[in-house]
Structure formats: C-alpha cells, structure tokens
Amino acid sequence: MDSDTLQAFQNELICSICMNYFIDPVTIDCGHSFCRPCLRLCWEEGRAPMCCPECREISAKCDFNTNAALKKLASLARQTRPQNINNSHSICVLHKETKELFCEADKRLLCGPCSESPEHMAHSHSPIGWAAEECREKLIKKMNSLWKINQETQNNLSQETSKFRSLADVRNVSARADLAQMQKPQPVNPELTSWRITGVLDMLNNFRVDNALSTEMTPCYISLSEDVRRVIFGDDHRSAPMDPQGVESFAVWGAQAFTSGRHYWEVDVTHSSTWILGVCRDSTTADTNIVIDSDETFLLISSKRSNRYSLSTISPPLIQHVQRPLGRVGVFLDYDNGSVSFFDVSKGSLIYDFPPSSFSSPLRPFFCFGCK
C-alpha cells in the first residue's frame, strides 16, 4: 500500500469533530460516522433538532449502536501509529531506553529492563497501545453510565417543571372551584388552601423592578360591577354610577410601561381591604373617567360585600376561593409569553395566573386602594 493510499485510509478513520481516530464510533441515519461522546456533546449543546454535524440532515433518533468494524480499524490504527519518542518522560532515566510497557499494578510506564527488575517482575505488563485501548474502553463505559444518569435527571427535571406549571394553570383553579361546589358547602365563601411553591420568590426576584409604581396618587371614586366584568373609576362620585359598591379611593399608575421582557414587583395591601392590582393597556392612563373591561386588562380585585371579603378577576370573570393576602402581593408580567401572575409574598404561594394571551399594546402597572 503506497503512502497516499495509506493516508487516505487513515483519514477515513478520523472523527470530523475531534479530528482524532474514532472512539466508540457510531454511524447515524445519513451515513456519516462520529465518536459517540463527540456526537452526544455536539447534540447536547445544539439541543433540537438533532442534525448531522457534516451534512446537517436531521436525525430521527438520538442513540445508535456502535459500529464494531469501524471501532476495530480505528483501534488498530492507533496502536500502529508512530509513538512520540522525543518526550523526555518516555525515556527511562536509568536504562536510557524507551518506555513501551505499562505496569498494571503501579499504573506506570516502564522500559524493558525495568519490567524485568525485582520491583516489577511479578506485576502484569502490557504494550502501551493495548493498555491505552483498555483504558479507553473503561472510560467509555463510565461515560455511557453518566450519560444515562444525565438523561434520567433531565427527564425528572422536565416532569417537575410540568408539575410546577400545572400549579399555575387556570384549569386547576376551575377544577378546584368545581370540587368545592360538589362538596355542597355552607352558604359562605369556600376557602381553599394555598401551598407554598419552594423557590418561586427567589426566581421572581431575578426580574424585580424597583419603584414600579409612581409616587403620585390620584383621588378617585371606584365602582365594581356585579358580574365582575367592569371597573369604573373617575374623579368624582358621578363618574361611578353604581353607588352601592362605590368606594372612595386613590389610584396609582406605573412609573413606566412595558413592551417586552419579564418584570416583577410587589405592593403592600396591608392597610386596605378594597384594592385593585395588576396591569392595564397604557392608553387608558390618559382618561380622567375610565371604564376598565377585559381588553388587555389583567387585574386582581379585593372587595368587601356583606362583611365578606373576596378576590376576583376581570378576564375571565372569576371569584378566587383562596385566603385574601394580608401583606404584600407580587405581580409577575412576562410580556413575551403573554402571562400575568399574582403571588402571596408572605406565603410564597400562587394566587392566580391569567391564561396565556398575546399582548399588542404597552402595559402599565396599576394599583388602586380604597379608604375603607
């Protein structure tokens, strides 16, 4: 075999990712071959879809059997390639000969005379190339084991993430409300337990907005319709005709409007039993007398009727059967994903998460609190 042909043959045994002879080679759907560890790392960084690093063809599966023939040829090529003898560590200082043997007991490289010395005579020795192949096989087995553990961990994490998201799913809220009705409660507002979500506040604080609300308070008169679909407030009593539920209040708008990104802020509701908190379309801030309906308005409302407190939302109109928060309420706006959520800060629990929407206008924080 001439040198050019030999070189071409050896090139076919080289992984195009690491540019070394194949280690545990696999051949994917398109016919190209790579080291299994190289391919896994490449696909792990790229996530989906899984494409061939050479031709970019999408692969239908992510795991393949070892190409045994290619593995054997690559192993022979490694063992027969010239060794680097210029390294001073490869020359025995005592005998001035190349260290070509590996001592299994001491895990050391030895020259021929050293392997026959009394110190090493009883130990098992093997050629460096063969020993290197053995070590590679052991390493590959450990890597495969770690890879399986990593995949199991990722699957478990995905399941836990799905469980967390289900806690913020409005369908769960509806299911809990239906369950409360099935239990035939007494004529009082049913109150369901809110569970603490571990780590949720730490996560939300990564998106905290300081001074989200303006320091200017506007006196107004607020009224909530019976069907919990509209909120009317203005600068005098006449602007809020639904007198039975009317409350003298103060309104505070956000210091800025949001058009993208994730934002979290908290509001203290300790000193007010009647309040409205959330985000509204920015254009509503220019009106003196405003009717807030369900058009890009996401509000959580605390109200008192017949000496009973309740929480409700506008869109969709829904009474929240959870305990009214007595401290701070957190608001999380994920503009890009169309999400608005409310949290009871003292309990670290979710109050309500609006169904996903598509925002088209700037949204500005809003807070209105009553005098009684």
Side-chain angles (χ1 to χ4, degrees):
M1 183 182 295
D2 59 61
S3 60
D4 292 338
T5 304
L6 177 61
Q7 183 63 46
F9 173 72
Q10 290 175 332
N11 289 340
E12 293 300 318
L13 303 177
I14 291 178
C15 171
S16 61
I17 298 178
C18 66
M19 301 307 294
N20 288 312
Y21 287 124
F22 288 120
I23 297 177
D24 194 18
V26 294
T27 302
I28 63 177
D29 296 336
C30 61
H32 290 114
S33 300
F34 308 93
C35 301
R36 186 191 301 274
C38 294
L39 187 63
R40 282 176 170 173
L41 290 175
C42 183
W43 281 354
E44 186 177 63
E45 292 176 357
R47 298 298 178 186
M50 296 173 293
C51 302
C52 172
E54 286 195 22
C55 67
R56 311 308 299 171
E57 180 178 326
I58 296 178
S59 176
K61 57 182 181 179
C62 62
D63 202 6
F64 302 87
N65 294 327
T66 299
N67 188 325
L70 200 58
K71 180 179 180 180
K72 180 68 173 180
L73 292 174
S75 176
L76 292 174
R78 270 193 300 272
Q79 295 182 58
T80 57
R81 65 184 171 182
Q83 299 294 326
N84 181 12
I85 61 175
N86 295 322
N87 190 338
S88 60
H89 295 290
S90 299
I91 304 300
C92 176
V93 177
L94 180 61
H95 301 104
K96 307 302 180 183
E97 293 189 17
T98 304
K99 300 177 181 178
E100 297 180 342
L101 298 174
F102 179 72
C103 178
E104 296 287 347
D106 294 337
K107 308 300 181 185
R108 291 173 51 189
L109 296 180
L110 305 174
C111 68
C114 283
S115 66
E116 297 173 357
S117 66
E119 181 182 359
H120 298 285
M121 185 182 300
H123 297 164
S124 175
H125 309 119
S126 57
I128 293 177
W130 186 87
E133 290 300 309
E134 287 290 307
C135 290
R136 287 189 182 92
E137 285 298 314
K138 293 178 181 178
L139 181 59
I140 287 172
K141 291 180 179 179
K142 290 183 179 179
M143 292 179 67
N144 288 337
S145 176
L146 291 174
W147 178 265
K148 291 181 180 179
I149 293 175
N150 178 63
Q151 291 299 101
E152 292 177 358
T153 302
Q154 291 295 332
N155 292 336
N156 291 336
L157 180 61
S158 298
Q159 293 178 6
E160 292 300 320
T161 302
S162 298
K163 291 179 182 178
F164 170 77
R165 289 177 178 173
S166 67
L167 293 174
D169 193 338
V170 68
R171 289 174 297 181
N172 285 352
V173 178
S174 301
R176 291 190 296 180
D178 293 340
L179 178 61
Q181 294 177 2
M182 292 174 60
Q183 296 297 326
K184 297 182 180 180
Q186 297 299 319
V188 296
N189 287 339
E191 184 177 290
L192 302 181
T193 303
S194 297
W195 286 280
R196 173 179 292 274
I197 304 176
T198 304
V200 67
L201 294 181
D202 293 334
M203 182 273 291
L204 293 174
N205 279 321
N206 292 324
F207 310 102
R208 179 180 284 273
V209 177
D210 294 326
N211 303 318
L213 294 172
S214 171
T215 56
E216 297 182 4
M217 294 187 297
T218 302
C220 63
Y221 196 87
I222 186 171
S223 180
L224 177 65
S225 64
E226 290 288 345
D227 59 4
V228 201
R229 289 182 180 270
R230 299 195 308 166
V231 176
I232 303 178
F233 67 93
D235 54 3
D236 57 33
H237 182 280
R238 290 171 296 177
S239 64
M242 289 172 283
D243 184 52
Q245 301 301 330
V247 177
E248 293 181 350
S249 308
F250 292 90
V252 182
W253 294 99
Q256 60 177 318
F258 300 115
T259 58
S260 64
R262 299 175 180 177
H263 313 278
Y264 174 72
W265 63 94
E266 296 178 356
V267 176
D268 191 347
V269 298
T270 305
H271 304 294
S272 178
S273 59
T274 301
W275 46 264
I276 303 174
L277 176 63
V279 293
C280 300
R281 189 177 65 252
D282 190 35
S283 59
T284 61
T285 63
D287 299 333
T288 302
N289 300 321
I290 307 172
V291 176
I292 298 180
D293 52 23
S294 60
D295 184 16
E296 292 196 355
T297 300
F298 305 89
L299 301 175
L300 181 67
I301 303 168
S302 172
S303 58
K304 180 180 180 182
R305 301 186 182 209
S306 303
N307 293 323
R308 293 177 182 170
Y309 295 99
S310 65
L311 294 178
S312 57
T313 60
I314 291 181
S315 176
L318 185 66
I319 301 297
Q320 302 300 306
H321 299 290
V322 296
Q323 187 176 15
R324 184 172 63 93
L326 300 178
R328 302 179 70 85
V329 175
V331 184
F332 179 53
L333 167 64
D334 187 346
Y335 193 98
D336 298 331
N337 291 317
S339 174
V340 179
S341 309
F342 298 90
F343 295 86
D344 187 329
V345 175
S346 64
K347 294 183 177 180
S349 61
L350 176 70
I351 299 176
Y352 184 71
D353 181 30
F354 277 94
S357 181
S358 179
F359 302 149
S360 59
S361 304
L363 296 179
R364 187 177 294 271
F366 174 73
F367 178 50
C368 183
F369 58 97
C371 297
K372 62 180 180 178

